[in-house]
Amino acid sequence: MSDALTQVTTEASGIFAGLKVADFTWAAAGPIATKQLSDNGATVIKVESFKHPDSIRLGGPFIDDKPGINRSGFFADFHSSKLGISVDMSNPDALEIIRPLIEWADVVAESFRPGVMKKWGLDYESLRAINPRIVMLSSSLYGADGPWARHPGYGAQGQALAGIHGMTGWPDRPPAMPKGAYSDSVSPRYALSALVAALIHREKTGEGQHVELSQIEATAQLLAPDLLAYQVTGVESTRAGDAKPGSILHGVFPCEGEERWIAIEAVTEAQFEALAKVLGDDGALAQARSDGREALNEAVATLTLPKDAFALMAECRAAGVPAGVANKASDLLEDEVLNAHGHFWPLDHAEMGRLNYNGPAYRFEKTPSALRFASPRLGEHTEAVMTRVLGFGAEDIARFKAEGLLQ
């Protein structure tokens, strides 16, 4: 089997085949965007500082529950099909290595706090002086401008500031913090769209440009209907638990077994009547409905509790009632729909072994996506990239190691 560099540079056939990306992103919001490039044929070289590697490498879950710099499943899922090099970016001489990378690249992507790339001599004006056609993508929590631009922050703060926390939870309780960071999941989709638009512009004009994105602003887009409703009506949306205006029933209900739940919705009278028949107690549900939403939810929960969640989902769907099991991670990996659609890609990692990686949620008919290999270990491809992509020789590499630029 060919090595990773050969697979990337000569065997790529996806829609971004031939695109060359110098990837300085870290954590989640940036790497999720560049993963869409690498899994679709682009040559993406992830640059990490071995003195300060990507923080996601330090976060679990770890394979076999044993922490290690190359054992994070979180990191692995965001970096499929990418090459990885490790350079001491705090060393002022790092530009001797990075400059040829900028000359080679079509795109430079970064997701640091504004000012970090400039400190390294890699702000857009400096990049453009090296490569006038470069397209730079900068993604940060607050954006490049404004009073908080350089303030530290993570996804939890970003989604709070974007209004997500204030909308999540029950009206008589404090806001609930959703697991994970919405800003890290939402913003990469906007970032990729903007980047592709900039590349199309360059194809037409030959001009590179700087694309700058605020992760908070991207996440605020999720609340666009609520923002509009407030401006039009003066009524401010707030936490509503699992209630949904316009639905007769809308909630998540307990089923048989440990932490087994099912989401059920009835919008029309026909759906509600069909659900009552499935649950087997038309009278109890009719009475509960007349007593209000809370009483109805309690009555439905009483009837779903002894039932198997998957069997109940099948019955509801057969009756035309929207329903879905609240899947666990183990359920997703075995899900017949996801597997029939080829969502998961098994890839072999040198330290973690074979894992199923998330593939793209879209399909290209003419240029199919392909997860070509697993995420890189820290600095795994440094020497191969230095010699075969950037044109350095063995003596250069030895000197860089002696100077502390490379491990």
Side-chain angles (χ1 to χ4, degrees):
M1 181 180 293
S2 58
D3 64 26
L5 189 60
T6 300
Q7 284 182 275
V8 165
T9 56
T10 64
E11 298 177 13
S13 58
I15 200 165
F16 291 123
L19 185 71
K20 297 174 289 187
V21 182
D23 183 4
F24 293 85
T25 65
W26 70 290
I32 290 173
T34 54
K35 171 184 166 68
Q36 308 306 310
L37 302 175
S38 62
D39 287 344
N40 285 288
T43 301
V44 177
I45 297 177
K46 179 175 176 63
V47 182
E48 290 181 81
S49 176
F50 55 81
K51 290 187 176 179
H52 298 283
D54 192 329
S55 63
I56 292 294
R57 287 187 178 275
L58 308 178
F62 297 105
I63 193 74
D64 300 326
D65 205 25
K66 297 178 181 178
I69 199 73
N70 297 311
R71 301 178 67 82
S72 169
F74 206 5
F75 178 90
D77 198 43
F78 297 158
H79 294 88
S80 53
S81 309
K82 298 180 185 179
L83 302 169
I85 68 172
S86 182
V87 181
D88 179 8
M89 292 302 299
S90 65
N91 190 317
D93 294 329
L95 273 178
E96 189 174 351
I97 295 172
I98 300 302
R99 183 184 179 91
L101 184 66
I102 304 306
E103 293 172 344
W104 165 86
D106 298 301
V107 173
V108 170
E110 61 94 9
S111 57
F112 297 113
R113 197 188 320 177
V116 171
M117 292 294 279
K118 185 172 184 177
K119 179 181 68 176
W120 291 340
L122 296 173
D123 57 298
Y124 176 62
E125 292 303 318
S126 299
L127 297 180
R128 189 170 63 172
I130 298 171
N131 182 347
R133 286 174 52 84
I134 203 76
V135 174
M136 183 180 192
L137 170 65
S138 295
S139 169
S140 63
L141 194 65
Y142 303 101
D145 305 307
W148 284 20
R150 300 197 179 200
H151 190 69
Y154 298 96
Q157 296 83 53
Q159 63 193 17
L161 290 163
I164 299 295
H165 290 191
M167 298 288 291
T168 307
W170 299 89
D172 59 342
R173 304 177 196 175
M177 182 184 294
K179 183 182 184 300
Y182 270 61
S183 56
D184 284 355
S185 298
V186 174
S187 65
R189 279 70 190 175
Y190 287 91
L192 185 63
S193 298
L195 176 60
V196 170
L199 290 171
I200 292 171
H201 173 79
R202 189 179 67 181
E203 279 193 5
K204 294 179 177 180
T205 66
E207 297 175 342
Q209 62 180 306
H210 188 191
V211 179
E212 185 268 321
L213 177 138
S214 160
Q215 295 159 20
I216 292 173
E217 290 181 42
T219 308
Q221 300 287 338
L222 291 178
L223 300 185
D226 300 281
L227 293 169
L228 180 61
Y230 175 67
Q231 294 176 85
V232 172
T233 68
V235 177
E236 188 170 15
S237 301
T238 186
R239 297 180 296 287
D242 57 9
K244 179 182 176 183
S247 291
I248 300 170
L249 178 76
H250 181 273
V252 181
F253 304 96
C255 290
E256 180 185 28
E258 184 179 356
E259 284 298 315
R260 278 298 178 195
W261 303 81
I262 187 169
I264 303 175
E265 182 171 11
V267 178
T268 66
E269 291 293 340
Q271 289 173 344
F272 184 75
E273 291 171 8
L275 175 63
K277 288 184 173 63
V278 168
L279 295 179
D281 198 333
D282 304 48
L285 292 184
Q287 179 60 51
R289 181 180 177 186
S290 67
D291 292 337
R293 183 181 64 84
E294 188 172 337
L296 178 58
N297 283 352
E298 290 177 359
V300 171
T302 298
L303 294 172
T304 61
L305 184 57
K307 294 182 178 292
D308 176 82
F310 291 94
L312 179 57
M313 177 176 67
E315 288 185 69
C316 286
R317 288 182 172 180
V321 178
V325 172
N327 279 325
K328 304 176 184 180
S330 55
D331 299 326
L332 291 171
L333 288 167
E334 298 174 1
D335 185 83
E336 62 180 0
V337 175
L338 292 175
N339 282 292
H341 208 224
H343 176 74
F344 294 109
W345 289 68
L347 300 173
D348 293 311
H349 187 277
E351 191 161 337
M352 293 191 289
R354 175 159 288 206
L355 295 175
N356 283 320
Y357 286 65
N358 278 300
Y362 45 80
R363 301 292 184 272
F364 292 108
E365 177 188 3
K366 304 297 184 183
T367 54
S369 308
L371 276 64
R372 290 163 285 174
F373 48 87
S375 60
R377 291 169 291 164
L378 182 62
E380 179 174 353
H381 306 108
T382 299
E383 292 199 17
V385 168
M386 294 282 290
T387 56
R388 295 163 57 187
V389 175
L390 304 183
F392 291 106
E395 292 183 358
D396 296 315
I397 293 173
R399 175 170 60 84
F400 291 143
K401 288 183 176 180
E403 294 173 354
L405 286 167
L406 302 177
Q407 280 186 318

